[in-house]
């Protein structure tokens, strides 16, 4: 075939799409119960929006953004993530003037020019949520409780919550210094990128995937040992709330996350079945970002779920179940086909999924199609049935059957023969 989707970019179509729809519906239900409302932000933004927020020395900004000049010569970027556009929208539209907290969720495609592999794509979808205006660690716990409810509704239980605190502007510099000291006699062993990171942003060394760097950082100091009093209290309160809510978690002191805007709480939800790209969700606090963007000082926290990784976990579970038609109407002859069309139209207006046989296919092949679709009921209309204004019905799962007059075929038939 001459035309192909671009590398790392894929189509989503039936039956896979059903798992996606289940996830989106479940997210909307669960997130609404926690007070989050949908927000839709653009797919494309000024490049500065991402550089300022994600950080100049992150992999995303350095290597992975789809950036180009538009026809007027403006530097623009396809969003690599959703937090920065939501923060830009929050400030631009003065949403901070509305009663606090403001809580939003979003879903849609993100773009990162990464090396594609299992669970890592160049266009991928996220469902994310962001809450603005609350510094109380209760909301950190609430967000993790929301994720737990969401995953449980989807039937997923084998997930781990990994937790860390990255401190704040007060305490992080001393940690940065400790990392510089720790790596000072190991610089030669670091990869090229990490040698640069050592100078510019040593925390990023903890995020490097190169085996040599992973080995060298085995005994690095932990951020949690450098937290100031307030950050410590925040972290301890969060942990006590998680215990109260019976949300299991693992402390992962080396988790630094690939974006620079985080402060205090950071977390990842991981699943061993996912292989090396094992984070199905990631997020944390970004208490300084709104202010850094020119808005009023506003604490904030959020997360994003990777849809491809999540739906791949659902494939084996019953949540990914494919929907089936309620009725298949198989007909023989022109007049029966007209009657079938009329009945189908009536049932569809009631919101039921009805399939029809079309001209050119024998009764036998129509019934084969009904079987393939796993229709709940088959209605058969031929000459005899037309003469009596009745259809034969059959339930495909248990083989029960009977007759029903045309004018009685309504959705209520399903409730009397569930
Ligand atoms: P992130 O860790 O960059 O965080 O991405 C969140 C999730 O998106 C990952 O855990 C993963 O499931 C999925 N993901 C990321 N990159 C890819 C990829 N190339 N292919 C497939 N899936 C991917 C953020 O994006 C932050 N905006 C999250 C956040 C919201 N923090 C605060 N608020």
């Amino acid at each position: 075939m001459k035309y192909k989707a671009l590398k790392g970019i894929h189509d989503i179509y039936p039956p896979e799409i059903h798992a996606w729809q289940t996830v989106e519906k479940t997210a909307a239900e669960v997130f609404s119960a926690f007070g989050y409302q949908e927000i839709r932000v653009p797919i494309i933004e000024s490049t500065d929006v991402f550089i300022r927020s994600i950080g100049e020395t992150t992999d995303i900004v350095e290597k992975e953004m789809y950036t180009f000049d538009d026809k007027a010569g403006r530097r623009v970027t396809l969003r690599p993530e959703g937090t920065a556009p939501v923060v830009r929208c929050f400030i631009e539209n003065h949403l901070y003037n509305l009663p606090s907290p403001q809580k939003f969720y979003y879903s849609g495609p993100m773009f990162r020019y990464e090396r594609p592999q299992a669970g890592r794509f160049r266009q991928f979808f996220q469902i994310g949520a962001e809450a603005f205006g609350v510094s109380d660690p209760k909301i950190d716990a609430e967000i993790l409780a929301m994720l737990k409810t969401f995953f449980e509704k989807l039937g997923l239980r084998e997930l781990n919550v990994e937790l860390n605190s990255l401190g704040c502007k007060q305490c992080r510099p001393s940690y940065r210094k400790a990392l510089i000291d720790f790596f000072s006699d190991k610089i030669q062993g670091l990869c090229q990128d990490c040698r640069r990171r050592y100078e510019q942003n040593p925390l990023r060394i903890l995020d490097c995937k190169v085996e040599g760097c992973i080995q060298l950082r085995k005994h690095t100091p932990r951020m949690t040992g450098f937290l100031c009093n307030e950050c410590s209290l925040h972290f301890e309160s969060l942990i006590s709330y998680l215990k109260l809510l019976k949300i299991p978690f693992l402390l992962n002191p080396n988790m630094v996350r690939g974006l620079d805007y985080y402060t205090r709480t950071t977390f990842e939800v991981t699943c061993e079945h996912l292989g090396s790209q094992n984070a199905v969700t990631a997020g944390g606090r970004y208490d300084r970002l709104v202010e850094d963007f020119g808005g009023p000082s506003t604490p904030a926290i959020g997360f994003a779920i990777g849809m491809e990784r999540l739906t791949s976990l659902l494939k084996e579970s019953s949540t990914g179940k494919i929907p089936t038609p309620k009725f298949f109407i198989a007909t023989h002859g022109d007049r029966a086909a007209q009657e079938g069309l009329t009945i189908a139209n009536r049932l569809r207006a009631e919101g039921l999924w009805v399939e029809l046989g079309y001209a050119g296919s024998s009764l036998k092949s129509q019934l084969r199609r009904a079987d393939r679709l796993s229709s709940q009921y088959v209605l058969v209309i031929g000459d005899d049935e037309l003469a009596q204004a009745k259809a034969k019905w059959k339930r495909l799962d248990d083989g029960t059957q009977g007759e029903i007059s045309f004018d009685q075929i309504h959705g209520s038939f399903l409730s009397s023969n569930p």
Side-chain angles (χ1 to χ4, degrees):
M1 212 302 257
K2 192 171 161 196
Y3 301 110
K4 287 193 158 97
L6 299 175
K7 195 174 168 198
I9 296 182
H10 55 102
D11 304 300
I12 308 146
Y13 47 88
E16 195 192 339
I17 194 74
H18 300 299
W20 286 64
Q21 290 172 329
T22 305
V23 168
E24 284 157 1
K25 194 164 154 268
T26 309
E29 279 166 17
V30 174
F31 297 179
S32 307
F34 282 79
Y36 287 74
Q37 300 183 74
E38 190 179 358
I39 188 167
R40 298 192 186 189
V41 289
I43 284 175
I44 189 165
E45 297 271 355
S46 289
T47 302
D48 287 345
V49 168
F50 301 110
I51 298 180
R52 272 298 294 281
S53 53
I54 297 170
E56 244 164 315
T57 54
T58 56
D59 278 358
I60 296 180
V61 168
E62 279 185 342
K63 306 179 190 164
E64 297 170 1
M65 297 208 299
Y66 280 86
T67 295
F68 53 95
D69 290 340
D70 72 6
K71 287 191 194 302
R74 298 180 202 94
R75 204 101 181 110
V76 293
T77 295
L78 296 181
R79 62 180 185 196
E81 58 106 51
T83 310
V86 173
V87 168
R88 197 262 314 129
C89 162
F90 181 76
I91 299 168
E92 184 177 343
N93 297 293
H94 310 289
L95 301 182
Y96 47 78
N97 284 333
L98 298 170
S100 183
Q102 288 291 310
K103 301 194 268 189
F104 307 106
Y105 74 88
Y106 52 88
S107 62
M110 310 291 159
F111 304 85
R112 295 184 195 174
Y113 196 83
E114 297 195 76
R115 197 149 39 83
Q117 63 178 81
R120 198 209 270 159
F121 307 95
R122 289 185 174 164
Q123 177 182 289
F124 59 97
F125 287 71
Q126 285 184 342
I127 298 187
E130 316 289 347
F132 295 92
V134 184
S135 55
D136 185 343
K138 229 183 267 142
I139 202 162
D140 308 29
E142 213 176 83
I143 277 210
L144 288 163
M146 179 162 100
L147 281 167
K148 184 167 182 267
T149 307
F150 168 72
F151 287 125
E152 282 180 359
K153 282 230 151 128
L154 291 172
L156 297 173
R157 287 192 166 75
E158 288 172 50
L159 300 174
N160 298 313
V161 174
E162 298 185 29
L163 198 63
N164 195 18
S165 174
L166 289 180
C168 67
K169 156 165 121 175
Q170 258 71 46
C171 50
R172 201 167 319 154
S174 52
Y175 181 54
R176 189 178 189 275
K177 164 109 189 10
L179 284 180
I180 291 175
D181 292 347
F182 176 81
F183 286 110
S184 62
D185 58 355
K186 302 178 183 63
I187 300 175
Q188 294 314 316
L190 293 172
C191 72
Q192 199 96 34
D193 278 343
C194 281
R195 280 185 223 166
R196 196 170 32 80
R197 288 171 184 144
Y198 179 79
E199 303 293 335
Q200 297 173 338
N201 192 350
L203 251 79
R204 294 262 71 84
I205 300 175
L206 304 185
D207 208 27
C208 179
K209 309 284 184 289
V210 175
E211 192 48 41
C213 300
I214 295 175
Q215 290 303 325
L216 278 181
R217 65 173 185 239
K218 270 199 171 146
H219 302 287
T220 36
R222 300 172 160 200
M223 179 66 223
T224 37
F226 291 80
L227 295 179
C228 62
N229 234 355
E230 286 182 13
C231 288
S232 235
L233 274 175
H234 186 99
F235 201 44
E236 280 162 23
S237 307
L238 166 60
I239 287 174
S240 71
Y241 290 134
L242 292 179
K243 287 182 178 158
L244 176 79
L245 294 173
K246 299 193 171 46
I247 300 174
F249 60 89
L250 304 162
L251 293 178
N252 178 354
N254 282 335
M255 184 175 66
V256 286
R257 311 276 303 109
L259 307 102
D260 275 353
Y261 49 62
Y262 290 112
T263 51
R264 294 192 171 168
T265 313
T266 52
F267 58 86
E268 288 188 355
V269 182
T270 56
C271 180
E272 278 148 32
H273 301 314
L274 284 172
S276 64
Q277 303 301 316
N278 67 349
V280 68
T281 298
R285 268 198 176 269
Y286 48 97
D287 289 342
R288 295 199 43 80
L289 188 56
V290 175
E291 198 176 351
D292 285 350
F293 253 54
S297 169
T298 310
I301 180 166
F303 64 80
I305 301 164
M307 281 291 278
E308 286 77 5
R309 296 183 195 176
L310 175 55
T311 51
S312 77
L313 291 175
L314 289 181
K315 270 189 194 136
E316 304 104 55
S317 85
S318 57
T319 318
K321 220 170 103 189
I322 298 160
T324 55
K326 295 286 181 218
F327 291 101
F328 189 102
I329 306 181
T331 57
H332 178 68
D334 286 350
R335 277 197 43 233
Q338 284 176 20
E339 191 60 48
L341 183 62
T342 314
I343 294 169
N345 211 34
R346 193 165 73 217
L347 291 170
R348 286 165 173 168
E350 290 184 41
L352 300 171
W353 178 4
V354 181
E355 286 294 329
L356 274 179
Y358 292 106
S361 76
S362 67
L363 200 55
K364 206 166 146 198
S365 75
Q366 291 179 56
L367 294 176
R368 258 204 313 270
R369 206 179 126 224
D371 223 25
R372 249 197 331 267
L373 287 169
S374 301
S375 179
Q376 197 173 340
Y377 286 89
V378 179
L379 298 175
V380 178
I381 307 173
D383 292 338
D384 291 351
E385 288 76 23
L386 266 182
Q388 297 177 50
K390 279 183 177 167
K392 284 205 176 80
W393 63 263
K394 183 173 177 184
R395 220 180 129 134
L396 290 192
D397 57 358
D398 62 6
T400 48
Q401 46 193 315
E403 283 186 347
I404 182 166
S405 59
F406 291 157
D407 54 7
Q408 283 179 341
I409 305 175
H410 287 284
S412 54
F413 175 78
L414 290 172
S415 40
S416 48
N417 294 279

